[in-house]
Amino acid sequence: MNTHTLHDMRGEPVPVWSEDVTRIPYWVYKNQTVHQHEQEKIFAGPTWNYLCLDAEIPNRGDFRTTLVGEMPAIVVRGADDEIYAFENRCAHRGALIALEDGGNAEDFTCVYHAWRYDLEGNLKGVAFQNGVNGQGGMADSFCMEAHGPRKLRTAVVCGLIFGSLDEDVPPIEEYLGDEILSRIERVLCKPVQVIGRFKQMLPNNWKLYFENVKDSYHASLLHVFFTTFRINRLSQRGGVIVSETGAHHVSYSIIDQAEKASAEYDTEKLRSDKDGYVLADPSMLDGKDEFNDGVTLQILSVFPGFVLQQIQNSLAIRQVLPKGMESTELNWTYIGFADDTPELRKMRLKQSNLIGAAGFVSMEDGAVGGFVQRGVACASDEKAIVEMGGAGTESVNYRATETSVRGFWKAYRTYMGF
């Protein structure tokens, strides 16, 4: 077997990725050394990681705790109204500095030994630094400025706060590219409010979920609700936009109200094409064309773990985080606009039942990644086939394709050096 220069925990070489992005080796979801290098090369590399919403920390001292890959972090609005982010790790013994999900603070004090940090992450106080009764304490040579958690660069786009540990990461606008940025601006066009949030744990590697987000091919096959109620069918107008690097994508579709059936779906005899089902409350699917372009579904991803969703009038942000090799944390944040009418806010809340762990549309996504993780348990030498729509990673004006999945792997291999 050909081998890569990486080695696993036992010193064994990691298999080489010898083929192109139409063949995905299953060891990439299962190898501990690969997982460790992802933390260094991707999450701590020259990428922008989503941290939180600007609207979640509106006032001086407001903070949220979050993660960059597996590294805990704090995002805070400083006394100067600027946004700061730093590792949530005390320089003394490594304990978490902030324990809550969020709040407001004048500064941060580690509960373990009371070392104190300002809102920019600078060490400002050491308990009993000069000892007690003239005994003990830190050496005179101890310099607080030389100790502290790692700090992140921050950038704000349309109220989204991103952070990076890499000094050479390109500006966020360049990182995203014009097409992806314009599609973010399309949705996040005015001030937002958080209307709900929850956390979902998935029994699979983080890459399986992020692939799934980019996979327009599966949506009307796996999700019975999508197809039954004509929310998303591949026969509808739409397309897939892939950034030049392959890292980011947008998939979108437009409901054709005149469409009653699709010959392609009838021929395939799919489990996801069910007639005769009705909703007890059909108003859940009532919608408003908020963005005046007819697009009723847009899924946008930013590498390595950000998703912006518009399904009808349900708007949400998903943060995809690795939790070991075979577990993923998925943080959902439902949003509306500050100027929502009561009727529109009610519509958003109703439609929030479409997504999430028990959502009519997306509950299957919480299971199917685990099906793959279990299915490839003894198939490290085998490969997935990703050839729908060809072998390229270009944007297309249809959705029966895996172009954005191949784009993800193109970017992944670049960052990892495969």
Side-chain angles (χ1 to χ4, degrees):
M1 177 186 294
N2 293 326
T3 56
H4 195 273
T5 54
L6 297 181
H7 291 76
D8 67 16
M9 298 295 288
R10 299 167 297 174
E12 297 293 326
V14 174
V16 70
W17 189 323
S18 58
E19 299 183 67
D20 64 20
V21 292
T22 67
R23 295 292 184 274
I24 314 304
Y26 289 132
W27 53 257
V28 79
Y29 308 111
K30 294 155 41 65
N31 186 281
Q32 181 63 39
T33 299
V34 168
H35 175 74
Q36 291 173 327
H37 277 260
E38 288 170 353
Q39 301 306 308
E40 174 189 349
K41 301 292 186 180
I42 293 178
F43 296 101
T47 63
W48 286 103
N49 297 265
Y50 172 72
L51 301 177
C52 71
L53 286 165
D54 181 79
E56 294 180 280
I57 51 171
N59 305 307
R60 295 176 183 179
D62 285 351
F63 72 92
R64 294 287 301 173
T65 54
T66 184
L67 291 157
V68 175
E70 293 183 332
M71 186 193 86
I74 300 171
V75 191
V76 61
R77 190 173 296 276
D80 56 0
D81 274 329
E82 295 295 321
I83 293 171
Y84 298 92
F86 50 92
E87 187 177 12
N88 190 2
R89 174 189 58 82
C90 182
H92 179 219
R93 298 286 295 279
L96 293 172
I97 299 169
L99 303 178
E100 300 85 4
D101 290 337
N104 183 276
E106 294 183 1
D107 54 26
F108 298 98
T109 300
C110 176
V111 69
Y112 198 179
H113 297 94
W115 285 33
R116 183 172 56 83
Y117 301 84
D118 66 16
L119 298 180
E120 298 179 27
N122 302 308
L123 179 61
K124 289 297 184 180
V126 172
F128 303 125
Q129 181 177 355
N130 298 318
V132 178
N133 296 326
Q135 296 179 309
M138 305 295 286
D140 292 339
S141 60
F142 179 77
C143 176
M144 284 194 287
E145 290 78 8
H147 300 278
R150 287 177 286 181
K151 296 182 180 180
L152 287 79
R153 295 179 61 185
T154 60
V156 183
V157 175
C158 298
L160 304 168
I161 302 174
F162 291 88
S164 181
L165 285 162
D166 193 288
E167 287 299 318
D168 297 321
V169 66
I172 187 69
E173 294 82 7
E174 179 184 333
Y175 181 76
L176 295 171
D178 291 341
E179 284 191 294
I180 302 300
L181 180 57
S182 69
R183 286 288 179 153
I184 294 175
E185 292 172 338
R186 170 188 170 271
V187 176
L188 301 179
C189 54
K190 49 187 173 179
V192 304
Q193 289 179 340
V194 174
I195 61 175
R197 58 164 62 94
F198 66 89
K199 180 182 298 183
Q200 182 181 3
M201 299 304 297
L202 307 176
N204 52 263
N205 187 274
W206 70 276
K207 298 185 291 295
L208 285 169
Y209 183 80
F210 208 54
E211 277 184 305
N212 182 75
V213 165
K214 293 171 175 284
D215 178 8
S216 56
Y217 176 33
H218 87 279
S220 63
L221 301 174
L222 176 67
H223 302 307
V224 176
F225 195 93
F226 255 162
T227 309
T228 300
F229 295 102
R230 306 300 199 267
I231 297 173
N232 185 15
R233 288 181 165 220
L234 293 179
S235 52
Q236 294 168 349
R237 288 182 295 148
V240 180
I241 299 168
V242 184
S243 66
E244 185 177 346
T245 63
H248 326 303
H249 102 293
V250 178
S251 175
Y252 65 94
S253 64
I254 300 171
I255 290 179
D256 183 354
Q257 300 295 348
E259 184 198 41
K260 299 299 182 184
S262 168
E264 289 88 351
Y265 280 81
D266 292 340
T267 300
E268 295 287 352
K269 299 186 184 300
L270 303 171
R271 63 170 285 277
S272 58
D273 191 25
K274 303 293 185 184
D275 290 324
Y277 287 92
V278 295
L279 292 172
D281 181 7
S283 69
M284 185 175 71
L285 296 183
D286 289 345
K288 175 182 178 181
D289 186 4
E290 291 188 74
F291 309 111
N292 299 312
D293 56 8
V295 173
T296 50
L297 185 147
Q298 176 180 290
I299 303 295
L300 180 152
S301 71
V302 175
F303 188 92
F306 169 82
V307 182
L308 174 61
Q309 160 223 297
Q310 174 220 341
I311 299 178
Q312 303 280 72
N313 300 100
S314 175
L315 309 178
I317 288 162
R318 311 176 200 172
Q319 182 188 32
V320 184
L321 297 166
K323 305 297 282 187
M325 280 190 300
E326 298 188 3
S327 183
T328 298
E329 180 179 310
L330 183 57
N331 292 326
W332 297 78
T333 305
Y334 294 89
I335 57 174
F337 294 121
D339 65 355
D340 281 351
T341 64
E343 294 76 18
L344 182 53
R345 183 60 59 87
K346 183 178 180 180
M347 185 185 297
R348 293 197 202 287
L349 292 172
K350 273 191 175 183
Q351 292 179 6
S352 68
N353 290 292
L354 296 172
I355 63 163
F360 292 130
V361 170
S362 59
M363 61 181 172
E364 297 94 346
D365 289 330
V368 72
F371 297 163
V372 177
Q373 194 78 48
R374 290 156 58 189
V376 304
C378 296
S380 292
D381 293 336
E382 303 296 330
K383 303 174 183 68
I385 301 167
V386 187
E387 289 185 358
M388 181 61 60
T393 60
E394 66 279 355
S395 301
V396 295
N397 60 358
Y398 54 87
R399 290 172 299 121
T401 180
E402 293 169 312
T403 185
S404 50
V405 178
R406 291 188 291 270
F408 167 75
W409 289 113
K410 172 186 173 182
Y412 178 88
R413 296 205 330 171
T414 299
Y415 284 106
M416 290 289 284
F418 284 149

